[in-house]
């Protein structure tokens, strides 16, 4: 009997037990006597039988698959996170499904019903705030999830995030320390909690140095970085420092500064937030508040799988990680 042709029916016949008994043993869904287990395992070993992972998942309504959901996989920060999450998931025999979807779909029941039908055991969510009704529905159908980065709410629930307020304080204070007198902030969308925290950190520093806060709301995209910088330069041509709420907007700003023949950092010093690798490739290299991407992915994945498997150890609702100021050419004034 070749390995390809071996079925659960063959295993049952060779073991002298029912198909249902073999299924129970393979899927570990109910008690099987030690004697019966030995008989079944002996036949499984003899034929080098490997259970179909999908079939096992359907039997248990589990698939050993987790998902990473984001509405913006084009942001380089998220592929770096995916790599970390996938590496950690693999260590625990879980596979990762990447779901790139639009914001509107995440707020519909149909999306989550379809998600549930795939027998995905849980998910990590980035860059979206689920509304109260959707979160209630997810609790109802018992799909565990962990929020990271911009999918962190002001209210408590399972999440892994960084100290956005402290990072913003570090960023704004750095611009003050290098001699900037008129500092602006291009914020992220004010519907997102981390964006609000980053803006609040900037405002605190401006209050401390008795300087007027200058804030323009961006969308965490390259395009909005360029657009909001253009508006900023029209309204405040004497600006000499800008803190961007993420690195993509800081990179996008370079186009606007070049158009107006503004030298970075001698005319205007700029600084971003995230720590993506692109900040090291552009010219000038951009100073940034670096998030511990690998740590975020590792902790979020472990946290999620613990929720899925209902481990006995207590699971902390929110994990808060430190950030780091990385100084580069864009804030290195002569």
């Amino acid at each position: 009997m070749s390995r390809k042709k071996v079925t659960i029916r063959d295993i049952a016949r060779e073991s002298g037990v029912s198909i249902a008994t073999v299924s129970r043993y393979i899927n570990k869904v109910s008690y099987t006597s030690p004697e019966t287990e030995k008989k079944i395992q002996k036949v499984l070993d003899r034929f080098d039988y490997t259970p179909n992972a999908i079939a096992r998942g359907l039997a248990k309504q589990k698939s050993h698959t987790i998902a990473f959901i984001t509405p913006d996989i084009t942001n380089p920060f998220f592929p770096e996170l995916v790599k970390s999450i996938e590496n950690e998931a693999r260590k625990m025999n879980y596979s990762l499904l990447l779901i790139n979807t639009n914001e509107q779909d995440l707020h519909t029941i149909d999306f989550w019903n379809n998600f549930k039908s795939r027998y995905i055991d849980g998910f990590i969510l980035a860059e979206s705030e689920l509304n109260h009704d959707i979160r209630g529905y997810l609790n109802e159908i018992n799909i565990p999830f962990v929020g990271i980065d911009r999918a962190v709410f002001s209210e408590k629930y399972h999440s892994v995030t960084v100290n956005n307020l402290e990072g913003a304080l570090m960023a704004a204070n750095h611009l003050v320390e290098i001699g900037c007198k008129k500092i602006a902030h291009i914020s992220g969308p004010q519907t997102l909690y981390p964006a609000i925290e980053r803006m609040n950190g900037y405002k605190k520093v401006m209050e401390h140095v008795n300087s007027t806060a200058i804030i323009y709301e961006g969308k965490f995209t390259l395009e909005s970085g360029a657009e909001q910088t253009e508006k900023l330069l029209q309204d405040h041509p004497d600006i000499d420092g800008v803190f961007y709420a993420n690195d993509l907007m800081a990179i996008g700003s370079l186009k606007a500064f070049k158009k107006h023949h503004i030298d970075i950092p001698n005319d205007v010093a700029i600084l971003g937030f995230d720590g993506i690798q692109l900040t090291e490739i552009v010219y000038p290299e951009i100073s940034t508040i670096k998030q511990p991407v690998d740590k975020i992915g590792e902790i979020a994945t472990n946290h999620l799988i613990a929720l899925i498997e209902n481990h006995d150890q207590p699971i902390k609702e929110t994990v808060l990680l430190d950030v780091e100021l990385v100084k580069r050419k864009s804030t290195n004034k002569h």
Side-chain angles (χ1 to χ4, degrees):
M1 192 180 298
S2 69
R3 181 179 175 184
K4 279 190 175 180
K5 294 180 181 178
V6 174
T7 66
I8 193 171
R9 186 182 298 276
D10 299 323
I11 300 299
R13 184 178 62 252
E14 294 291 324
S15 304
V17 299
S18 69
I19 294 173
T21 301
V22 176
S23 178
R24 285 200 302 273
Y25 171 65
I26 290 173
N27 293 302
K28 311 294 183 188
V29 293
S30 63
Y31 175 76
T32 310
S33 71
E35 295 80 9
T36 301
E37 289 182 358
K38 285 180 183 178
K39 285 198 296 184
I40 296 171
Q41 190 59 53
K42 186 176 180 180
V43 176
L44 291 173
D45 292 342
R46 175 152 54 99
F47 292 113
D48 195 19
Y49 177 82
T50 303
N52 184 291
I54 296 174
R56 289 181 69 181
L58 292 173
K60 292 180 170 185
Q61 292 197 337
K62 286 189 179 295
S63 61
H64 264 68
T65 300
I66 61 173
F68 178 76
I69 303 176
T70 175
D72 186 17
I73 198 61
T74 61
N75 186 328
F77 180 73
F78 296 119
E80 291 179 30
L81 262 176
V82 168
K83 183 178 178 181
S84 173
I85 292 167
E86 187 170 35
N87 287 341
E88 197 63 25
R90 191 182 297 117
K91 293 177 187 176
M92 291 177 278
N93 297 316
Y94 276 75
S95 57
L96 178 66
L97 177 67
L98 177 61
I99 299 177
N100 185 51
T101 187
N102 62 59
E103 183 78 22
Q104 290 73 29
D105 284 349
L106 293 175
H107 297 285
T108 66
I109 296 295
D110 285 345
F111 174 88
W112 296 108
N113 280 336
N114 179 264
F115 184 90
K116 183 174 182 286
S117 71
R118 301 185 192 187
Y119 293 103
I120 296 168
D121 299 337
F123 64 93
I124 296 171
L125 178 68
E127 204 178 348
S128 178
E129 287 210 13
L130 301 178
N131 62 43
H132 179 77
D133 291 341
I134 293 298
R135 276 178 276 156
Y137 181 67
L138 292 175
N139 287 334
E140 184 182 314
I141 61 178
N142 197 29
I143 297 180
F145 68 98
V146 174
I148 59 174
D149 192 60
R150 297 162 206 159
V152 174
F153 314 147
S154 53
E155 60 190 82
K156 283 189 176 181
Y157 86 114
H158 299 294
S159 62
V160 180
T161 186
V162 299
N163 196 330
N164 290 288
L165 181 65
E166 182 62 25
L169 291 172
M170 293 165 64
N173 275 319
H174 177 54
L175 292 173
V176 170
E177 288 164 3
I178 63 173
C180 296
K181 301 299 182 185
K182 189 171 183 179
I183 302 168
H185 177 52
I186 308 298
S187 78
Q190 292 304 291
T191 54
L192 299 177
Y193 182 66
I196 295 170
E197 287 286 271
R198 293 172 195 180
M199 181 185 70
N200 287 341
Y202 159 79
K203 289 168 72 174
K204 280 192 174 185
V205 174
M206 293 303 98
E207 289 171 10
H208 181 71
V209 297
N210 296 315
S211 183
T212 302
I214 302 168
I215 301 169
Y216 290 75
E217 185 174 341
K219 299 177 181 178
F220 281 143
T221 63
L222 284 167
E223 294 78 11
S224 70
E227 290 167 4
Q228 297 306 315
T229 300
E230 188 69 41
K231 291 179 184 178
L232 171 64
L233 293 174
Q234 289 175 7
D235 297 341
H236 301 277
D238 57 339
I239 204 81
D240 63 354
V242 188
F243 165 41
Y244 292 86
N246 83 334
D247 287 338
L248 268 191
M249 292 195 298
I251 293 168
S253 76
L254 296 177
K255 182 178 181 180
F257 287 123
K258 185 174 182 180
K259 174 184 172 182
H260 291 276
H261 307 288
I262 293 172
D263 180 76
I264 305 295
N266 294 314
D267 296 331
V268 181
I270 67 171
L271 185 145
F273 199 116
D274 278 345
I276 64 174
Q277 290 183 346
L278 278 178
T279 54
E280 300 178 69
I281 298 171
V282 296
Y283 183 83
E285 292 185 4
I286 296 175
S287 298
T288 183
I289 302 298
K290 183 176 176 60
Q291 298 196 53
V293 178
D294 288 345
K295 204 71 179 170
I296 295 169
E298 176 187 332
I299 294 173
T301 306
N302 279 280
H303 198 143
L304 176 62
I305 292 174
L307 288 170
I308 291 167
E309 298 184 354
N310 291 315
H311 289 170
D312 292 333
Q313 71 266 27
I315 299 171
K316 189 176 181 182
E317 284 187 331
T318 301
V319 177
L320 185 66
L321 301 174
D322 290 330
V323 292
E324 172 191 2
L325 170 61
V326 179
K327 302 174 185 178
R328 297 198 181 105
K329 176 67 175 174
S330 71
T331 58
N332 185 21
K333 285 179 174 284
H334 293 159

